[in-house]
Amino acid sequence: MSKFQKYISKIRGSKDGKVLIANFGYLTLLQIASYLFPLVTMPYLARVIGAEGFGKIAFASALITWFQTVTDWGFNYTATRDVARNREDAEAVSRIFSTVLWARCILMIVSFLVLSVLIVCVPVFKENAVIILVTFLLVPGHIMFPDWFFQAMERMKYITIFNIIIRTLFLVCVFIFVKTPSDYVLQPLFTSVGYLLCGLLSMYYITRKWGYKLQLVKVYDIWKMMKQSTNIFVNNIMPNFYNSFSVMLLGMVGGNVATGILDAGSKFVNLSQQFMNILSRTFFPFLSRHIEKHRFYARINILCATAISILLCGLSPWLIHTFFTPEFEGAVSVLRIMAVSLLFLSLNDVYGTNYMVLRGYEKQLRNITIISSLIGFAIAFLCIRQWGYIGAAVTIAATRGLMGILTILYIRIIERK
């Protein structure tokens, strides 16, 4: 028996190992659903709403991503870590859960006010006001559905069940109601309604079934938790300067069709990234208590990312031609370029989120993210104006590469010290 096999057997025999394997099993089921449902709906949506509809949805989603990141404020990592470490103390868990919920509600109200001003003052936002406002409903939906809490409690079964409910509702509604190109606005609406319904069900389980209390908290406690999560918030929002911004800039410069082609080429990479996030979410609460197991996690994550990246590069023509119409032909090149970035995202996750955050190096990770994102923000103007959607794909992939390389270089410095 190899050393790796012995290590697997040891994990399976421990209590933490059994929980880890069960959680990974549930999230693997979720990932299968995450692949299956889009594979069913993408060809239909591509035929009905076309590249222009895809582009409008992508533009609105890129804008709302900023506000969603603001309402998260890094709690999806810091609160997950804190609950995972205090989950035997029901009072502490209730206090953390309540503080995060009220903080996110306040941030949502502020975000909506800012968005309203932008829609009134910025012409391109005013032109797309309906799709932007409908897409904003995702923000309260994500707040109501606290998947970070289920992750912290290592009850991934509920994340899986609720997400499958959301996706099933979305699939049924798409085929029933989306009939013409003008129905593109219904896509984010159905997703938002699904999150809101599952959010209500989540609150029932958390407060009624499990007995955790939703408490009124002091403003000082909210401010204190936000301050503790600021470094993670900066680390989370800075990638928007090259990622979401590239999509928005492409929409302004190249139009909705170019944005739709970029979005189509990114679909399979985003689905694969969701699988990598499953690994991260499964191991994060476990590593917060057993950081010595990090090397094992790193091997699994990087191996999976490499295999998926190679697979997507090889299958890119078949994937685009199978699931999209001929007007999406340019998405083949986008997919090949974006697939390479999966390996760098893996490095940033393995040695950034699941190591530096847990070891207390949030500031250092924040600085790496700021430097990389600002460089990406700068090159986006040149690349997108010069090469359109190809330039946007190059900007995103190159910036992720820089971020991954800088992260692992910093870890090497730490190890030497």
Side-chain angles (χ1 to χ4, degrees), residues 221-306:
D221 292 331
I222 294 175
W223 172 253
K224 183 180 178 181
M225 180 164 280
M226 289 180 61
K227 187 176 180 181
Q228 291 172 347
S229 303
T230 298
N231 286 323
I232 302 298
F233 164 68
V234 174
N235 188 67
N236 286 347
I237 201 168
M238 287 306 298
N240 291 335
F241 278 93
Y242 73 86
N243 199 342
S244 299
F245 176 76
S246 293
V247 178
M248 294 171 62
L249 181 60
L250 178 63
M252 296 175 187
V253 174
N256 291 321
V257 173
T259 310
I261 292 173
L262 175 68
D263 185 58
S266 304
K267 287 291 185 186
F268 294 99
V269 176
N270 293 338
L271 288 172
S272 302
Q273 188 180 349
Q274 288 176 22
F275 173 72
M276 305 309 299
N277 288 339
I278 283 176
L279 282 175
S280 178
R281 294 169 70 179
T282 302
F283 275 87
F284 187 83
F286 174 75
L287 292 173
S288 69
R289 294 176 285 112
H290 300 285
I291 193 63
E292 71 277 2
K293 309 297 185 183
H294 181 268
R295 188 180 296 272
F296 172 74
Y297 165 68
R299 290 175 181 173
I300 294 177
N301 194 305
I302 294 172
L303 181 63
C304 288
T306 303

Coordinates of all heavy atoms in Angstrom, one line a residue, residues 221-306:
D221 N -20.8 45.8 17.6 CA -20.5 44.4 17.2 C -20.4 44.2 15.7 O -19.6 43.5 15.2 CB -21.5 43.5 17.9 CG -21.4 43.4 19.4 OD1 -20.3 43.7 19.9 OD2 -22.4 43.2 20.0
I222 N -21.3 44.9 15.0 CA -21.3 44.8 13.5 C -20.1 45.5 13.0 O -19.4 44.9 12.1 CB -22.6 45.5 13.0 CG1 -23.8 44.7 13.3 CG2 -22.5 45.6 11.4 CD1 -25.1 45.4 12.9
W223 N -19.8 46.7 13.5 CA -18.6 47.4 13.1 C -17.3 46.6 13.4 O -16.4 46.5 12.6 CB -18.5 48.7 13.8 CG -17.2 49.5 13.6 CD1 -16.2 49.7 14.4 CD2 -16.8 50.1 12.3 NE1 -15.2 50.4 13.9 CE2 -15.5 50.6 12.6 CE3 -17.4 50.2 11.1 CZ2 -14.8 51.3 11.6 CZ3 -16.7 50.9 10.1 CH2 -15.4 51.5 10.4
K224 N -17.2 46.0 14.6 CA -16.1 45.2 15.0 C -15.9 44.0 14.0 O -14.7 43.7 13.6 CB -16.2 44.7 16.4 CG -15.0 43.9 16.9 CD -15.3 43.5 18.4 CE -14.1 42.7 18.9 NZ -14.4 42.2 20.3
M225 N -17.0 43.3 13.7 CA -16.8 42.1 12.8 C -16.5 42.6 11.4 O -15.7 41.9 10.7 CB -18.1 41.3 12.7 CG -18.1 40.1 11.8 SD -19.5 39.0 12.1 CE -18.8 38.1 13.5
M226 N -17.0 43.7 10.9 CA -16.6 44.2 9.6 C -15.1 44.6 9.6 O -14.4 44.3 8.6 CB -17.5 45.4 9.2 CG -18.9 45.1 8.9 SD -19.9 46.5 8.5 CE -19.1 47.1 7.0
K227 N -14.7 45.2 10.6 CA -13.3 45.6 10.7 C -12.4 44.4 10.7 O -11.3 44.4 10.0 CB -13.0 46.4 12.0 CG -11.6 47.0 12.1 CD -11.5 47.8 13.3 CE -10.1 48.5 13.4 NZ -9.9 49.3 14.6
Q228 N -12.8 43.3 11.4 CA -12.0 42.1 11.4 C -11.9 41.4 10.0 O -11.0 40.6 9.7 CB -12.5 41.1 12.4 CG -12.3 41.6 13.9 CD -13.1 40.7 14.9 OE1 -13.9 39.9 14.5 NE2 -12.7 40.8 16.1
S229 N -13.0 41.7 9.2 CA -13.1 41.0 7.9 C -12.6 41.9 6.7 O -12.7 41.5 5.6 CB -14.5 40.6 7.6 OG -15.0 39.7 8.7
T230 N -12.1 43.1 7.1 CA -11.8 44.1 6.0 C -10.7 43.5 5.1 O -10.8 43.7 3.8 CB -11.3 45.4 6.6 OG1 -12.4 45.9 7.4 CG2 -11.0 46.4 5.6
N231 N -9.7 42.9 5.6 CA -8.6 42.4 4.7 C -9.1 41.4 3.7 O -8.7 41.4 2.5 CB -7.5 41.8 5.6 CG -6.6 42.9 6.2 OD1 -6.4 43.9 5.7 ND2 -6.2 42.6 7.5
I232 N -10.0 40.5 4.2 CA -10.6 39.5 3.3 C -11.5 40.2 2.3 O -11.5 39.8 1.1 CB -11.4 38.4 4.1 CG1 -10.5 37.8 5.1 CG2 -12.0 37.4 3.2 CD1 -9.3 37.0 4.5
F233 N -12.2 41.2 2.7 CA -13.1 41.9 1.8 C -12.3 42.6 0.7 O -12.7 42.4 -0.5 CB -13.9 43.0 2.6 CG -14.5 44.1 1.7 CD1 -15.5 43.7 0.8 CD2 -14.0 45.4 1.7 CE1 -16.1 44.7 0.0 CE2 -14.5 46.3 0.8 CZ -15.6 46.0 0.0
V234 N -11.2 43.2 1.0 CA -10.4 43.8 0.0 C -9.8 42.7 -0.9 O -9.8 42.9 -2.2 CB -9.2 44.6 0.7 CG1 -8.2 45.1 -0.4 CG2 -9.7 45.8 1.5
N235 N -9.4 41.6 -0.4 CA -8.9 40.5 -1.2 C -10.0 40.0 -2.1 O -9.7 39.5 -3.2 CB -8.4 39.4 -0.2 CG -7.7 38.3 -1.0 OD1 -6.6 38.5 -1.5 ND2 -8.3 37.1 -1.0
N236 N -11.3 40.0 -1.7 CA -12.4 39.5 -2.5 C -12.8 40.5 -3.6 O -13.2 40.1 -4.7 CB -13.6 39.2 -1.6 CG -13.4 37.9 -0.8 OD1 -12.4 37.1 -1.1 ND2 -14.2 37.7 0.2
I237 N -12.8 41.8 -3.2 CA -13.3 42.8 -4.2 C -12.3 43.2 -5.2 O -12.7 43.6 -6.4 CB -13.9 44.0 -3.5 CG1 -14.9 44.7 -4.4 CG2 -12.7 44.9 -3.0 CD1 -15.7 45.8 -3.7
M238 N -11.0 43.1 -4.9 CA -10.0 43.6 -5.9 C -10.0 42.8 -7.2 O -9.9 43.4 -8.3 CB -8.6 43.5 -5.3 CG -8.4 44.6 -4.2 SD -8.7 46.3 -4.8 CE -7.4 46.4 -6.1
P239 N -10.2 41.5 -7.2 CA -10.3 40.8 -8.5 C -11.4 41.3 -9.4 O -11.3 41.1 -10.7 CB -10.6 39.3 -8.1 CG -10.0 39.2 -6.8 CD -10.2 40.5 -6.1
N240 N -12.4 42.0 -8.9 CA -13.4 42.6 -9.8 C -12.8 43.7 -10.7 O -13.4 44.0 -11.7 CB -14.6 43.2 -8.9 CG -15.4 42.1 -8.2 OD1 -15.5 41.0 -8.6 ND2 -16.0 42.5 -7.1
F241 N -11.7 44.2 -10.3 CA -11.1 45.3 -11.1 C -10.5 44.7 -12.4 O -10.3 45.5 -13.3 CB -10.0 46.0 -10.3 CG -10.5 47.0 -9.4 CD1 -10.8 46.7 -8.0 CD2 -10.7 48.3 -9.8 CE1 -11.2 47.7 -7.2 CE2 -11.2 49.3 -8.9 CZ -11.4 49.0 -7.6
Y242 N -10.3 43.5 -12.5 CA -9.8 42.9 -13.8 C -10.9 41.9 -14.3 O -11.0 41.8 -15.5 CB -8.5 42.2 -13.6 CG -8.5 40.9 -12.9 CD1 -8.8 39.7 -13.6 CD2 -8.3 40.8 -11.5 CE1 -8.8 38.5 -12.9 CE2 -8.3 39.6 -10.9 CZ -8.6 38.4 -11.6 OH -8.6 37.2 -10.9
N243 N -11.7 41.3 -13.5 CA -12.6 40.3 -13.9 C -13.9 40.9 -14.3 O -14.2 41.0 -15.5 CB -12.8 39.2 -12.8 CG -13.4 37.9 -13.2 OD1 -13.9 37.8 -14.3 ND2 -13.2 36.9 -12.4
S244 N -14.7 41.3 -13.4 CA -16.0 41.9 -13.7 C -15.8 43.2 -14.5 O -16.6 43.5 -15.5 CB -16.8 42.2 -12.4 OG -17.0 41.1 -11.7
F245 N -14.8 44.0 -14.2 CA -14.6 45.2 -15.0 C -14.3 44.9 -16.5 O -14.8 45.7 -17.3 CB -13.4 46.0 -14.4 CG -13.1 47.2 -15.2 CD1 -13.9 48.4 -15.1 CD2 -12.0 47.3 -16.0 CE1 -13.6 49.5 -15.8 CE2 -11.7 48.4 -16.7 CZ -12.5 49.5 -16.6
S246 N -13.6 43.8 -16.7 CA -13.3 43.5 -18.1 C -14.6 43.2 -18.9 O -14.7 43.6 -20.1 CB -12.4 42.3 -18.2 OG -11.1 42.6 -17.7
V247 N -15.5 42.5 -18.2 CA -16.8 42.2 -18.9 C -17.6 43.5 -19.1 O -18.1 43.7 -20.2 CB -17.6 41.3 -18.0 CG1 -19.0 41.0 -18.6 CG2 -16.9 40.0 -17.8
M248 N -17.6 44.4 -18.1 CA -18.3 45.7 -18.2 C -17.7 46.6 -19.3 O -18.4 47.2 -20.1 CB -18.3 46.4 -16.9 CG -19.1 45.7 -15.8 SD -18.9 46.4 -14.2 CE -19.6 48.1 -14.5
L249 N -16.3 46.6 -19.3 CA -15.6 47.5 -20.3 C -15.9 46.9 -21.8 O -16.1 47.7 -22.7 CB -14.1 47.5 -20.0 CG -13.3 48.3 -21.0 CD1 -13.7 49.8 -21.0 CD2 -11.8 48.2 -20.6
L250 N -15.9 45.6 -21.9 CA -16.2 45.0 -23.2 C -17.6 45.3 -23.6 O -17.8 45.6 -24.8 CB -16.0 43.5 -23.1 CG -16.3 42.7 -24.4 CD1 -15.3 43.1 -25.5 CD2 -16.2 41.2 -24.1
G251 N -18.5 45.3 -22.7 CA -19.9 45.7 -23.0 C -20.0 47.1 -23.5 O -20.8 47.4 -24.5
M252 N -19.2 48.0 -22.9 CA -19.3 49.4 -23.3 C -18.6 49.7 -24.7 O -19.0 50.5 -25.5 CB -18.6 50.3 -22.2 CG -19.3 50.3 -20.9 SD -18.4 51.2 -19.6 CE -19.4 50.8 -18.2
V253 N -17.4 48.9 -24.9 CA -16.6 49.1 -26.1 C -17.1 48.3 -27.2 O -17.2 48.7 -28.4 CB -15.1 48.9 -25.7 CG1 -14.3 48.9 -27.0 CG2 -14.6 49.8 -24.7
G254 N -17.3 47.0 -27.0 CA -17.6 46.0 -28.0 C -19.0 45.7 -28.3 O -19.4 45.0 -29.3
G255 N -19.9 46.0 -27.3 CA -21.3 45.7 -27.5 C -21.7 44.4 -26.8 O -20.9 43.7 -26.3
N256 N -23.0 44.2 -26.9 CA -23.6 43.0 -26.2 C -23.2 41.7 -26.8 O -23.1 40.7 -26.2 CB -25.1 43.1 -26.2 CG -25.6 44.2 -25.3 OD1 -25.1 44.5 -24.2 ND2 -26.7 45.0 -25.7
V257 N -23.1 41.7 -28.2 CA -22.7 40.4 -28.8 C -21.3 39.9 -28.4 O -21.1 38.8 -28.1 CB -22.8 40.6 -30.4 CG1 -22.2 39.3 -31.1 CG2 -24.2 40.8 -30.8
A258 N -20.4 40.9 -28.4 CA -19.0 40.5 -27.9 C -19.0 40.0 -26.5 O -18.3 39.1 -26.1 CB -18.1 41.7 -28.1
T259 N -19.8 40.7 -25.7 CA -19.9 40.3 -24.3 C -20.5 38.9 -24.2 O -20.1 38.1 -23.3 CB -20.8 41.3 -23.5 OG1 -20.3 42.6 -23.7 CG2 -20.7 41.0 -22.0
G260 N -21.5 38.6 -25.0 CA -22.1 37.3 -25.0 C -21.2 36.2 -25.4 O -21.2 35.1 -24.9
I261 N -20.3 36.5 -26.4 CA -19.3 35.5 -26.8 C -18.3 35.2 -25.7 O -17.9 34.1 -25.4 CB -18.5 36.0 -28.1 CG1 -19.5 36.0 -29.3 CG2 -17.3 35.1 -28.4 CD1 -19.0 36.6 -30.5
L262 N -17.9 36.3 -25.0 CA -17.0 36.1 -23.9 C -17.6 35.3 -22.8 O -17.0 34.4 -22.2 CB -16.6 37.5 -23.3 CG -15.7 37.5 -22.0 CD1 -14.3 36.9 -22.3 CD2 -15.6 38.9 -21.4
D263 N -18.9 35.6 -22.5 CA -19.6 34.9 -21.5 C -19.8 33.4 -21.8 O -19.6 32.5 -21.0 CB -21.0 35.5 -21.3 CG -21.8 34.9 -20.1 OD1 -21.3 34.9 -19.0 OD2 -22.9 34.4 -20.4
A264 N -20.1 33.1 -23.1 CA -20.2 31.7 -23.5 C -18.9 30.9 -23.4 O -18.9 29.8 -22.9 CB -20.7 31.7 -25.0
G265 N -17.8 31.6 -23.8 CA -16.5 30.9 -23.6 C -16.1 30.7 -22.2 O -15.3 29.8 -21.8
S266 N -16.6 31.5 -21.3 CA -16.3 31.4 -19.8 C -17.2 30.5 -19.1 O -16.9 30.1 -18.0 CB -16.5 32.8 -19.2 OG -15.7 33.8 -19.8
K267 N -18.3 30.0 -19.7 CA -19.3 29.2 -19.0 C -18.7 27.9 -18.4 O -18.8 27.6 -17.3 CB -20.4 28.8 -19.9 CG -21.4 29.9 -20.2 CD -22.2 30.3 -19.0 CE -23.3 31.4 -19.4 NZ -24.0 31.9 -18.2
F268 N -17.9 27.2 -19.3 CA -17.4 25.9 -18.8 C -16.3 26.1 -17.9 O -16.0 25.2 -17.0 CB -17.0 25.1 -20.1 CG -18.1 24.7 -20.9 CD1 -18.4 25.4 -22.1 CD2 -18.9 23.6 -20.6 CE1 -19.4 25.1 -22.9 CE2 -20.0 23.3 -21.4 CZ -20.2 24.0 -22.6
V269 N -15.5 27.2 -18.0 CA -14.5 27.5 -17.0 C -15.1 27.8 -15.7 O -14.6 27.4 -14.6 CB -13.6 28.6 -17.5 CG1 -12.6 29.0 -16.4 CG2 -12.9 28.3 -18.8
N270 N -16.2 28.6 -15.7 CA -16.9 28.9 -14.5 C -17.5 27.7 -13.8 O -17.4 27.6 -12.5 CB -18.0 30.0 -14.7 CG -17.4 31.3 -15.2 OD1 -16.2 31.6 -14.9 ND2 -18.2 32.1 -15.8
L271 N -18.0 26.8 -14.6 CA -18.5 25.5 -14.0 C -17.4 24.7 -13.4 O -17.6 24.1 -12.3 CB -19.2 24.7 -15.1 CG -20.6 25.3 -15.6 CD1 -21.0 24.5 -16.8 CD2 -21.6 25.2 -14.5
S272 N -16.3 24.7 -14.0 CA -15.1 23.9 -13.5 C -14.6 24.6 -12.2 O -14.2 24.0 -11.3 CB -14.0 23.9 -14.5 OG -14.5 23.2 -15.7
Q273 N -14.6 26.0 -12.2 CA -14.2 26.7 -11.0 C -15.1 26.4 -9.9 O -14.7 26.4 -8.7 CB -14.2 28.2 -11.3 CG -13.6 29.0 -10.2 CD -13.6 30.5 -10.6 OE1 -13.9 30.9 -11.7 NE2 -13.3 31.4 -9.6
Q274 N -16.4 26.2 -10.1 CA -17.4 25.8 -9.1 C -16.9 24.5 -8.4 O -17.1 24.3 -7.2 CB -18.8 25.7 -9.6 CG -19.4 27.0 -10.0 CD -20.8 26.8 -10.6 OE1 -21.4 25.8 -10.4 NE2 -21.2 27.8 -11.4
F275 N -16.4 23.5 -9.2 CA -16.0 22.3 -8.7 C -14.8 22.5 -7.8 O -14.7 21.9 -6.7 CB -15.6 21.3 -9.8 CG -15.0 20.0 -9.3 CD1 -15.7 19.1 -8.6 CD2 -13.6 19.8 -9.5 CE1 -15.1 17.9 -8.2 CE2 -13.0 18.7 -9.0 CZ -13.7 17.7 -8.4
M276 N -13.8 23.4 -8.2 CA -12.7 23.7 -7.4 C -13.1 24.4 -6.1 O -12.5 24.1 -5.0 CB -11.7 24.6 -8.2 CG -11.3 24.1 -9.5 SD -10.6 22.4 -9.4 CE -9.3 22.5 -8.3
N277 N -14.2 25.2 -6.2 CA -14.7 25.8 -5.0 C -15.3 24.8 -4.0 O -15.3 25.0 -2.8 CB -15.8 26.8 -5.3 CG -15.2 28.1 -6.0 OD1 -14.0 28.4 -5.8 ND2 -16.0 28.8 -6.7
I278 N -15.8 23.7 -4.6 CA -16.3 22.6 -3.7 C -15.2 22.0 -2.9 O -15.4 21.8 -1.7 CB -17.0 21.5 -4.6 CG1 -18.4 22.0 -5.0 CG2 -17.2 20.2 -3.8 CD1 -19.1 21.1 -5.9
L279 N -14.1 21.8 -3.5 CA -12.9 21.3 -2.8 C -12.5 22.2 -1.7 O -12.3 21.9 -0.5 CB -11.7 21.1 -3.7 CG -11.7 19.8 -4.6 CD1 -10.5 19.8 -5.5 CD2 -11.7 18.5 -3.7
S280 N -12.5 23.5 -2.0 CA -12.1 24.6 -1.1 C -13.1 24.6 0.1 O -12.7 24.7 1.3 CB -12.1 25.9 -1.8 OG -11.7 26.9 -0.9
R281 N -14.4 24.6 -0.2 CA -15.4 24.8 0.8 C -15.5 23.5 1.7 O -15.8 23.6 2.9 CB -16.8 25.0 0.2 CG -16.9 26.3 -0.5 CD -18.1 26.5 -1.4 NE -19.3 26.6 -0.6 CZ -20.5 26.7 -1.1 NH1 -20.7 26.7 -2.4 NH2 -21.5 26.8 -0.3
T282 N -15.2 22.4 1.1 CA -15.2 21.1 1.9 C -14.0 21.1 2.9 O -14.2 20.8 4.1 CB -15.0 19.9 1.0 OG1 -16.1 19.9 0.1 CG2 -15.1 18.6 1.8
F283 N -12.8 21.6 2.5 CA -11.6 21.5 3.3 C -11.5 22.7 4.2 O -10.7 22.6 5.2 CB -10.4 21.3 2.4 CG -10.1 19.9 2.0 CD1 -10.7 19.4 0.9 CD2 -9.3 19.1 2.8 CE1 -10.4 18.1 0.5 CE2 -9.0 17.8 2.4 CZ -9.6 17.3 1.2
F284 N -12.1 23.9 3.9 CA -11.8 25.1 4.7 C -12.1 24.9 6.1 O -11.2 25.2 7.0 CB -12.5 26.3 4.1 CG -12.2 27.6 4.7 CD1 -11.0 28.3 4.3 CD2 -12.9 28.1 5.7 CE1 -10.7 29.5 4.8 CE2 -12.6 29.3 6.3 CZ -11.5 30.0 5.9
P285 N -13.3 24.5 6.6 CA -13.5 24.3 8.0 C -12.6 23.2 8.6 O -12.2 23.3 9.8 CB -15.0 24.0 8.1 CG -15.4 23.5 6.7 CD -14.5 24.2 5.8
F286 N -12.3 22.2 7.8 CA -11.5 21.1 8.3 C -10.0 21.6 8.5 O -9.4 21.4 9.6 CB -11.5 20.0 7.3 CG -10.5 18.9 7.6 CD1 -10.7 17.9 8.6 CD2 -9.3 18.7 6.8 CE1 -9.9 16.9 8.8 CE2 -8.4 17.7 7.1 CZ -8.7 16.8 8.1
L287 N -9.5 22.4 7.5 CA -8.2 22.9 7.7 C -8.1 24.0 8.7 O -7.0 24.2 9.3 CB -7.7 23.5 6.3 CG -7.5 22.5 5.2 CD1 -7.2 23.2 3.9 CD2 -6.3 21.5 5.5
S288 N -9.2 24.6 9.0 CA -9.1 25.7 10.1 C -8.8 25.0 11.4 O -8.4 25.7 12.4 CB -10.5 26.4 10.2 OG -11.5 25.6 10.6
R289 N -9.1 23.7 11.5 CA -8.8 23.0 12.8 C -7.6 22.0 12.6 O -7.0 21.6 13.6 CB -10.0 22.2 13.2 CG -11.2 23.0 13.6 CD -12.5 22.2 14.0 NE -13.1 21.7 12.8 CZ -13.2 20.4 12.5 NH1 -12.6 19.5 13.2 NH2 -13.8 20.1 11.4
H290 N -7.2 21.7 11.4 CA -6.1 20.8 11.1 C -5.2 21.3 10.0 O -5.2 20.7 8.9 CB -6.7 19.4 10.8 CG -7.5 18.8 11.8 ND1 -7.0 18.3 13.0 CD2 -8.9 18.7 11.9 CE1 -8.0 17.8 13.8 NE2 -9.1 18.0 13.1
I291 N -4.6 22.4 10.2 CA -3.8 23.0 9.1 C -2.6 22.1 8.7 O -2.1 22.2 7.6 CB -3.2 24.4 9.6 CG1 -2.6 25.2 8.4 CG2 -2.2 24.2 10.7 CD1 -3.6 25.5 7.4
E292 N -2.2 21.2 9.6 CA -1.1 20.3 9.2 C -1.5 19.3 8.1 O -0.6 18.7 7.5 CB -0.7 19.4 10.5 CG -1.7 18.4 10.9 CD -2.9 18.9 11.8 OE1 -2.9 20.2 12.0 OE2 -3.7 18.1 12.3
K293 N -2.8 19.2 7.7 CA -3.2 18.4 6.6 C -3.2 19.2 5.3 O -3.7 18.6 4.3 CB -4.6 17.9 6.9 CG -4.8 17.2 8.2 CD -4.0 16.0 8.4 CE -4.3 15.3 9.7 NZ -3.5 14.1 10.0
H294 N -2.6 20.3 5.3 CA -2.7 21.2 4.1 C -2.0 20.6 2.9 O -2.5 20.7 1.7 CB -2.1 22.6 4.4 CG -2.2 23.5 3.2 ND1 -1.1 23.6 2.3 CD2 -3.1 24.4 2.8 CE1 -1.5 24.5 1.4 NE2 -2.7 25.0 1.7
R295 N -0.9 19.9 3.1 CA -0.2 19.3 1.9 C -1.0 18.3 1.1 O -1.0 18.3 -0.1 CB 1.1 18.7 2.4 CG 2.0 18.2 1.3 CD 3.3 17.6 1.9 NE 4.0 18.5 2.7 CZ 5.0 19.3 2.2 NH1 5.2 19.3 0.9 NH2 5.6 20.2 2.9
F296 N -1.8 17.5 1.9 CA -2.7 16.6 1.2 C -3.7 17.3 0.4 O -4.0 16.9 -0.8 CB -3.4 15.7 2.3 CG -4.4 14.8 1.8 CD1 -4.1 13.7 1.1 CD2 -5.8 15.1 2.1 CE1 -5.1 12.8 0.6 CE2 -6.8 14.3 1.6 CZ -6.5 13.1 0.9
Y297 N -4.3 18.3 0.9 CA -5.3 19.1 0.2 C -4.7 19.8 -1.1 O -5.3 19.8 -2.1 CB -5.9 20.2 1.1 CG -6.7 21.3 0.4 CD1 -7.9 21.0 -0.3 CD2 -6.2 22.6 0.3 CE1 -8.6 22.0 -1.0 CE2 -6.9 23.6 -0.4 CZ -8.1 23.3 -1.0 OH -8.7 24.2 -1.7
A298 N -3.5 20.3 -0.9 CA -2.8 20.9 -2.1 C -2.7 20.0 -3.2 O -2.9 20.3 -4.4 CB -1.5 21.5 -1.6
R299 N -2.3 18.8 -3.0 CA -2.0 17.8 -4.0 C -3.3 17.5 -4.8 O -3.4 17.5 -6.0 CB -1.5 16.5 -3.4 CG 0.0 16.6 -2.9 CD 0.4 15.3 -2.2 NE 1.8 15.4 -1.7 CZ 2.3 14.5 -1.0 NH1 1.6 13.4 -0.6 NH2 3.6 14.6 -0.5
I300 N -4.4 17.3 -4.0 CA -5.7 17.0 -4.7 C -6.2 18.1 -5.5 O -6.6 18.0 -6.7 CB -6.8 16.6 -3.6 CG1 -6.4 15.3 -2.9 CG2 -8.1 16.5 -4.2 CD1 -7.3 15.0 -1.7
N301 N -6.1 19.3 -5.0 CA -6.6 20.5 -5.7 C -5.9 20.8 -7.0 O -6.5 21.0 -8.0 CB -6.6 21.7 -4.7 CG -7.4 22.9 -5.3 OD1 -7.2 23.3 -6.4 ND2 -8.3 23.4 -4.4
I302 N -4.6 20.8 -6.9 CA -3.7 21.2 -8.0 C -3.8 20.1 -9.1 O -3.9 20.4 -10.3 CB -2.3 21.4 -7.6 CG1 -2.2 22.6 -6.7 CG2 -1.4 21.6 -8.8 CD1 -0.8 22.8 -6.1
L303 N -3.9 18.8 -8.7 CA -4.0 17.7 -9.7 C -5.4 17.9 -10.4 O -5.4 17.7 -11.7 CB -4.0 16.4 -9.0 CG -4.1 15.1 -9.8 CD1 -2.9 15.1 -10.8 CD2 -4.1 13.9 -9.0
C304 N -6.4 18.1 -9.7 CA -7.8 18.3 -10.4 C -7.8 19.5 -11.3 O -8.3 19.4 -12.4 CB -8.8 18.5 -9.3 SG -9.2 17.0 -8.4
A305 N -7.2 20.6 -10.9 CA -7.2 21.8 -11.7 C -6.4 21.6 -13.0 O -6.8 22.0 -14.1 CB -6.6 23.0 -11.0
T306 N -5.3 20.9 -12.9 CA -4.5 20.6 -14.1 C -5.2 19.7 -15.1 O -5.2 20.0 -16.3 CB -3.1 19.9 -13.7 OG1 -2.4 20.7 -12.8 CG2 -2.3 19.7 -14.9

